[in-house]
Amino acid sequence: MTGLIVGEPDQTGALAGSGEQWTRRYTHAVMDTFGPPQRVLVRGDGVWVWDADGKRYLDLLGGIAVNVLGHAHPTLTAAVSAQLGTLGHISNFFASPTQIALAETLLDIAAAPEGSRVFFTNSGAEALEAAVKLTRRHSAASRPRLLALEGAFHGRTLGALALTHKAAYREPFEPLGSQVEFLPFGDLEALRAAFATDGDQVAALVAEPVQGEAGVRPLPDGYLAEARRLTSEHGALLVLDEVQSGIGRTGRWFAHQQSGLGGGVVPDVVTVAKALGAGFPVGALIAYGPSVAGLLGRGQHGTTFGGNPVAAAAGLATVGVIERDGLLAHVTELGEAWRTALRDLRHPLVSEVRGLGLLIGVELAAPVAAAVATRALDAGIIVNAATPTTLRLAPPYVLTSDETELFTRFLGNLPADPEELR
């Protein structure tokens, strides 16, 4: 058996070894589904992380919209440690106070009506899988149609993958078992046309209020309201994927609560994960109202780890800190100020800045996003090329205006000619 560590833990408690050593071991031990790691990270504090070679980085990606309280937040750390020291795992033959309290909290912040219920999962993809099964129970054989949007990303497990638009993700694994029709993003006429013919055969419309993987694209004003009207009229479900946009990311608990997105729209199902545990794996499906909440009956779905006491404690701590520290207002105000500052650069390479709260897309005038992200990493800033032309920012909610300025200055100092970045 090979040794478990390269050397002794260093003074921070991290396992010793250079980035090169760890990367070499990674390539021999971990499947090559993600490619080689850009860096090997060993610790974090707030909005900063350090790699195995001691270099510090400003984390403006937050584990892809996950680490909303930053890294090593004391309240989250204490809550998880205390729960693990008391009761770490139980089967779902039993319940725990943290599980029940988190379900009640989610129903409260979702403004879900009486009779609504929560199903806990470990991830966003699992929450989408539960949603797909729920729509199957709703549709039976009479509603074979599922509607999704072009640009959608809902996960990589088979049910969620069927709803994901990118052909390169889907085609190697087809057939996927669901009849999914992809509608043009944000196109109201296409939405109406989809229901005009055989609308009563639609089981559900599944949509992200803000598409993250497609480059941070919020749905246009009025789209969700019309989607709710049409699905209600035809007896279909409205399923909103808030895995990336939920739990305060846009400055509201859920993006569909934003006045410009939904503002009063009551969906049938919402899926959530990422931010909910602030780094601890936890996801959930929220079913609105008793008729939807009762679609998955006893024995029709399950999970070993979903809703375990530690994950639930992490979720409760995350929501509690967001409320205690006024982070919804902070996310709204900081996000607006940051987007304004980025637009005010008037840099020739920046063609658009869009988003809500601290989910921001910087659209570039040429397909050089990956090169810009690499240059940013070399400069000590972590961002993500969501598309060839879009940089995605999804930082912790505890980010400050001084820290946003570090990226703004970096962007402003990029060469105007894209050829210099290729």
Side-chain angles (χ1 to χ4, degrees), residues 122-145:
N122 306 290
S123 68
E126 288 180 51
L128 261 296
E129 290 292 325
V132 170
K133 288 183 71 173
L134 186 146
T135 62
R136 287 282 182 90
R137 290 288 299 154
H138 170 66
S139 64
S142 62
R143 292 180 176 271
R145 299 174 65 198

Side-chain angles (χ1 to χ4, degrees), residues 144-222:
R145 299 174 65 198
L146 277 174
L147 305 180
L149 303 185
E150 292 178 357
F153 181 87
H154 295 292
R156 296 178 188 262
T157 52
L158 290 181
L161 187 59
L163 294 159
T164 294
H165 179 245
K166 191 171 181 179
Y169 293 161
R170 284 186 293 108
E171 289 177 351
F173 304 99
E174 291 178 338
L176 297 170
S178 295
Q179 180 183 325
V180 179
E181 303 164 38
F182 292 99
L183 310 180
F185 176 82
D187 187 330
L188 281 171
E189 291 308 312
L191 177 65
R192 294 179 184 123
F195 281 92
T197 304
D198 296 327
D200 292 342
Q201 294 184 20
V202 176
L205 168 66
V206 184
E208 302 155 275
V210 184
Q211 288 189 341
E213 301 299 317
V216 189
R217 300 195 298 174
L219 283 168
D221 290 357

Side-chain angles (χ1 to χ4, degrees), residues 115 134 138 237 267-269 285-296:
L134 186 146
H138 170 66
L237 300 179
D268 295 299
V269 176
L285 176 147
I286 306 170
Y288 287 62
S291 62
V292 180
L295 287 172
L296 287 177

Side-chain angles (χ1 to χ4, degrees), residues 27-262:
T27 61
H28 288 91
V30 181
M31 281 192 181
D32 192 33
T33 52
F34 303 107
Q38 297 177 35
R39 298 290 190 276
V40 176
L41 302 179
V42 296
R43 68 182 181 96
D45 183 17
V47 297
W48 299 91
V49 293
W50 284 259
D51 69 16
D53 299 313
K55 183 173 180 178
R56 187 177 79 154
Y57 302 84
L58 176 64
D59 184 5
L60 298 182
L61 185 58
I64 311 182
V66 169
N67 300 101
V68 296
L69 303 182
H71 300 273
H73 192 282
T75 303
L76 178 65
T77 301
V80 169
S81 299
Q83 183 59 58
L84 189 59
T86 304
L87 186 67
H89 176 74
I90 55 176
S91 80
N92 280 308
F93 294 127
F94 304 92
S96 71
T98 50
Q99 179 195 60
I100 297 165
L102 181 58
E104 291 171 338
T105 298
L106 286 173
L107 294 174
D108 181 50
I109 65 176
E114 186 68 27
S116 302
R117 298 288 187 271
V118 173
F119 179 86
F120 285 113
T121 68
N122 306 290
S123 68
E126 288 180 51
L128 261 296
E129 290 292 325
V132 170
K133 288 183 71 173
L134 186 146
T135 62
R136 287 282 182 90
R137 290 288 299 154
H138 170 66
S139 64
S142 62
R143 292 180 176 271
R145 299 174 65 198
L146 277 174
L147 305 180
L149 303 185
E150 292 178 357
F153 181 87
H154 295 292
R156 296 178 188 262
T157 52
L158 290 181
L161 187 59
L163 294 159
T164 294
H165 179 245
K166 191 171 181 179
Y169 293 161
R170 284 186 293 108
E171 289 177 351
F173 304 99
E174 291 178 338
L176 297 170
S178 295
Q179 180 183 325
V180 179
E181 303 164 38
F182 292 99
L183 310 180
F185 176 82
D187 187 330
L188 281 171
E189 291 308 312
L191 177 65
R192 294 179 184 123
F195 281 92
T197 304
D198 296 327
D200 292 342
Q201 294 184 20
V202 176
L205 168 66
V206 184
E208 302 155 275
V210 184
Q211 288 189 341
E213 301 299 317
V216 189
R217 300 195 298 174
L219 283 168
D221 290 357
Y223 189 91
L224 285 180
E226 184 67 354
R228 175 71 287 179
R229 183 187 73 80
L230 289 166
T231 51
S232 296
E233 180 180 312
H234 291 276
L237 300 179
L238 178 60
V239 179
L240 299 184
D241 180 344
E242 293 255 22
V243 167
Q244 190 160 153
S245 59
I247 313 299
R249 174 57 58 185
T250 67
R252 299 291 298 270
W253 285 116
F254 298 95
H256 74 269
Q257 295 171 340
Q258 292 276 358
S259 58
L261 277 177

Side-chain angles (χ1 to χ4, degrees), residues 1 21 25 81 138 168 213 258 276 288 310 350 362-363 369 395:
M1 179 180 290
Q21 288 174 309
R25 290 175 64 172
S81 299
H138 170 66
E213 301 299 317
Q258 292 276 358
L276 181 57
Y288 287 62
V310 182
V350 179
V362 179
E363 189 69 20

